[in-house]
Amino acid sequence: MNELLTKFHNAKNIFDLIVEIYLSVNTCESPLFIKNYTENLKNGTYERSFYQDIAQIIDELLDNMISFETFKDIFSTYISEKLPDEYAVWMLVYMDQVFSEYDQYPLLKQHLKLSSGKLGTMGPLNTAQQNYLLYYKPIKDFASYSPSLQKIRGVKLQDLSKVTSLLEHYTIIPRITDEPVIVVKRYYNLQFKTCFSDPDIPLKIAVVPFMKDSWFKIKLSETPARNYFEIHTDITLHEKINHAYLEVLETLNQKQVDIVIFPELAMNPSTKHVISNWLAQQQIKNPAFYIKLVFLGSCWNCVEKTNICTLLSSTGNTILENHKKIGFIYKDKETKKEYYEDLSVRPLQLEAVDLDFIGRLIYLVCRDALEDLDQAFLWNNYQINMEVISSYSESLSHFENKMRYFSQTHKGISVLANCCRPRLSKGPIGFLSVPATDLSTKNQNADGHLTYHHRNKDCAHSCQICHCYQIYTLYPLQEKEYGNHKTIRIEQESS
């Protein structure tokens, strides 16, 4: 048995097989293979019996008429020493057509039933994940529905010399050694449908700056090689903080807010449990419950030495959780010494989620949103459409530059939910960034339009935990000009 047949024989699922087929044509000659494919398509080559036979056994596999093992045995009979490039490229594109309807085939979908919908898997779908990962491409995103954002010319960074440039519904991505595997889920829920079908119904996003007084202590330690710090929350404040979460969520629900975002370090070890239970109860007790997603902020665990952010559904189900990868560097103002955030492990995976009408969303903690290579790889390869960042940062400039660029190049929408405490003597606390047309340029290039939120005027005198909030009211189907920018209509409200 030759090497290729051995790889096919060892494939555990159809996705493993597709990756191996892709690797057979992922060579320096791939531009030639693409050209040959297009010429064969034009000449009607793929109407011949061989291709019809392969299409038939694929259909039989998808309809559960034959097992995957039987499929491999039959498919192997069509291969001698190698899989000809015209066969390989055709099959990759044929499977792309099949994957456009992956929800129709039990073999191609993986669902976990939740109380408010289904949680599916978008990738990686192959089992042999050492070098390459296969993903379904994102569902239709925010910018695809908005007439204003559809006009904007984003930058589609795609390598047209690779066979994957022919694919619309899935992609195969090289794995970066020692970097987290990106796990993409899909949350099946049409809860955002109304604001993307009725121009007068808004999408409301609230950020909660938390509080100006410290609710944790920084514990410092020094070693000959490097100094470290860790976060210890004030246990006496845990119940008070959780109660404040509930109070502000109740208030924001009354204001018909859809999405609520808390900053980094806001959580304590019991916050997730308390809020999850409360959300589940609301579905039973409150028929007029509006909140759809709660970004809880992050929790610093001093036992496990982790900093983890959590996204909950409207019913309290955990949609995703991400470990902070890149620690903060704390500089002691008196000694001028630097201390590194004492995170014990690098995360093995990073989670993103596809949301109907929103697109592919990722939730990150502070500095993880600033690394150039990491961000470019996420935006280009995983086609992230929205980024939510919970931070505890004195500076906004790096976030501003990064997220404006995200809006310019990828039509990305982002929200920075920062805590007010590190910005007490400064200006804005955080911002919303959306793609916009730059009316000041001759060709009206795309630009990132930032809308800021600030501390409330009476914050210094009457601050309570979660007493302040800012609401961004977005009208996805409406358009408005802001100075030299034209983008979706955005309004603001503060507590």
Side-chain angles (χ1 to χ4, degrees):
M1 185 180 293
N2 65 45
E3 183 180 358
L4 187 61
L5 283 174
T6 300
K7 290 179 178 179
F8 287 171
H9 178 75
N10 292 334
K12 299 293 191 298
N13 61 26
I14 187 66
F15 307 108
D16 285 346
L17 192 66
I18 293 169
V19 171
E20 293 300 339
I21 293 172
Y22 168 71
L23 293 180
S24 72
V25 288
N26 183 36
T27 70
C28 61
E29 295 183 280
S30 58
L32 176 61
F33 300 157
I34 294 171
K35 183 179 180 181
N36 290 341
Y37 169 78
T38 56
E39 290 180 352
N40 287 335
L41 190 65
K42 181 180 178 180
N43 296 333
T45 303
Y46 299 125
E47 297 174 6
R48 296 175 184 170
S49 60
F50 166 82
Y51 300 101
Q52 298 305 314
D53 290 346
I54 295 295
Q56 181 177 337
I57 64 168
I58 291 174
D59 291 343
E60 290 175 356
L61 172 67
L62 296 175
D63 291 335
N64 290 322
M65 296 173 65
I66 59 173
S67 68
F68 181 59
E69 293 302 317
T70 300
F71 171 82
K72 288 191 296 183
D73 290 341
I74 298 173
F75 182 68
S76 297
T77 62
Y78 291 91
I79 303 168
S80 54
E81 292 300 315
K82 60 171 290 188
L83 181 66
D85 61 86
E86 61 267 28
Y87 293 179
V89 177
W90 172 84
M91 188 165 178
L92 293 172
V93 177
Y94 184 81
M95 291 308 300
D96 188 57
Q97 298 168 12
V98 170
F99 286 169
S100 67
E101 299 178 327
Y102 66 85
D103 264 341
Q104 307 301 316
Y105 303 104
L107 182 73
L108 302 180
K109 63 183 181 181
Q110 302 174 41
H111 292 156
L112 173 65
K113 183 67 178 175
L114 300 179
S115 53
S116 57
K118 297 179 294 185
L119 198 61
T121 301
M122 301 294 281
L125 297 165
N126 56 312
T127 63
Q129 300 177 2
Q130 294 85 354
N131 299 309
Y132 285 86
L133 307 169
L134 187 150
Y135 296 83
Y136 293 134
K137 287 193 176 181
I139 58 177
K140 194 174 179 182
D141 68 312
F142 192 118
S144 301
Y145 291 96
S146 168
S148 175
L149 302 189
Q150 285 175 14
K151 300 174 185 177
I152 297 172
R153 299 189 302 273
V155 179
K156 191 172 183 180
L157 301 176
Q158 187 177 31
D159 188 344
L160 298 179
S161 70
K162 292 187 176 181
V163 175
T164 47
S165 64
L166 297 171
L167 310 177
E168 295 182 9
H169 302 102
Y170 75 98
T171 189
I172 297 170
I173 300 172
R175 179 173 178 178
I176 300 179
T177 306
D178 297 330
E179 288 299 312
V181 172
I182 310 300
V183 175
V184 184
K185 305 176 181 180
R186 180 173 177 187
Y187 182 46
Y188 290 79
N189 193 305
L190 299 177
Q191 55 194 353
F192 293 106
K193 183 177 181 179
T194 54
C195 59
F196 287 89
S197 55
D198 187 332
D200 296 320
I201 296 180
L203 171 66
K204 292 188 175 184
I205 302 174
V207 292
V208 184
F210 208 61
M211 68 179 298
K212 71 178 183 67
D213 297 320
S214 180
W215 65 97
F216 60 83
K217 293 182 179 179
I218 299 176
K219 182 180 178 181
L220 306 177
S221 61
E222 298 183 5
T223 70
R226 180 178 285 184
N227 302 325
Y228 292 92
F229 77 88
E230 57 186 45
I231 300 296
H232 288 251
T233 57
D234 186 342
I235 297 177
T236 63
L237 290 176
H238 286 186
E239 186 175 346
K240 188 175 182 180
I241 287 172
N242 294 341
H243 182 70
Y245 262 84
L246 296 176
E247 282 192 332
V248 76
L249 287 171
E250 288 175 347
T251 299
L252 294 173
N253 183 64
Q254 292 169 9
K255 292 182 172 291
Q256 301 183 12
V257 166
D258 300 286
I259 298 172
V260 185
I261 311 170
F262 292 87
E264 181 182 12
L265 304 181
M267 298 169 65
N268 61 66
S270 60
T271 303
K272 176 183 172 182
H273 175 74
V274 170
I275 305 306
S276 180
N277 284 346
W278 179 80
L279 288 168
Q281 293 168 10
Q282 296 308 301
Q283 300 302 310
I284 301 172
K285 301 190 313 184
N286 190 353
F289 192 67
Y290 283 90
I291 294 175
K292 300 170 178 63
L293 298 172
V294 181
F295 294 82
L296 283 176
S298 76
C299 179
W300 216 102
N301 187 315
C302 59
V303 177
E304 298 178 356
K305 295 187 178 181
T306 56
N307 190 351
I308 302 175
C309 63
T310 301
L311 169 61
L312 297 181
S313 72
S314 59
T315 55
N317 294 117
T318 300
I319 295 179
L320 63 79
E321 288 190 314
N322 283 325
H323 286 244
K324 186 178 183 180
K325 182 180 108 173
I326 303 167
F328 177 72
I329 300 175
Y330 169 75
K331 190 170 184 178
D332 189 283
K333 293 181 180 179
E334 294 183 3
T335 66
K336 308 301 181 184
K337 292 181 179 179
E338 290 185 339
Y339 296 81
Y340 292 80
E341 189 170 357
D342 191 10
L343 301 175
S344 61
V345 296
R346 286 170 55 84
L348 296 176
Q349 68 179 43
L350 183 65
E351 297 183 338
V353 62
D354 283 10
L355 301 168
D356 288 292
F357 303 100
I358 301 295
R360 184 158 292 177
L361 178 148
I362 195 160
Y363 185 25
L364 300 173
V365 182
C366 205
R367 278 196 62 190
D368 286 1
L370 296 178
E371 295 302 305
D372 291 339
L373 292 178
D374 287 356
Q375 290 290 77
F377 194 75
L378 285 171
W379 299 341
N380 295 337
N381 290 281
Y382 294 91
Q383 298 175 274
I384 301 297
N385 306 120
M386 184 171 182
E387 199 160 302
V388 175
I389 307 157
S390 287
S391 67
Y392 185 98
S393 178
E394 292 184 10
S395 174
L396 296 188
S397 59
H398 295 302
F399 292 104
E400 291 169 338
N401 294 335
K402 184 64 64 178
M403 294 303 110
R404 182 180 284 113
Y405 183 74
F406 178 42
S407 293
Q408 289 172 340
T409 57
H410 294 77
K411 293 190 180 183
I413 296 172
S414 56
V415 184
L416 176 71
N418 193 30
C419 186
C420 59
R421 178 169 172 76
R423 299 279 300 172
L424 291 178
S425 60
K426 304 178 186 297
I429 302 171
F431 59 82
L432 164 75
S433 176
V434 296
T437 301
D438 187 349
L439 302 176
S440 66
T441 61
K442 189 173 182 179
N443 60 1
Q444 296 192 354
N445 287 332
D447 197 0
H449 175 68
L450 271 58
T451 304
Y452 294 92
H453 58 268
H454 299 76
R455 292 172 58 214
N456 290 350
K457 293 180 179 179
D458 63 346
C459 177
H461 306 291
S462 60
C463 180
Q464 300 175 38
I465 305 172
C466 298
H467 182 67
C468 298
Y469 56 81
Q470 304 278 331
I471 300 174
Y472 294 108
T473 301
L474 286 64
Y475 291 86
L477 303 185
Q478 295 188 31
E479 187 174 52
K480 191 171 180 180
E481 290 187 18
Y482 300 90
N484 64 331
H485 283 159
K486 182 184 287 186
T487 185
I488 58 175
R489 177 185 163 199
I490 303 170
E491 297 178 353
Q492 270 187 282
E493 175 189 344
S494 61
S495 55

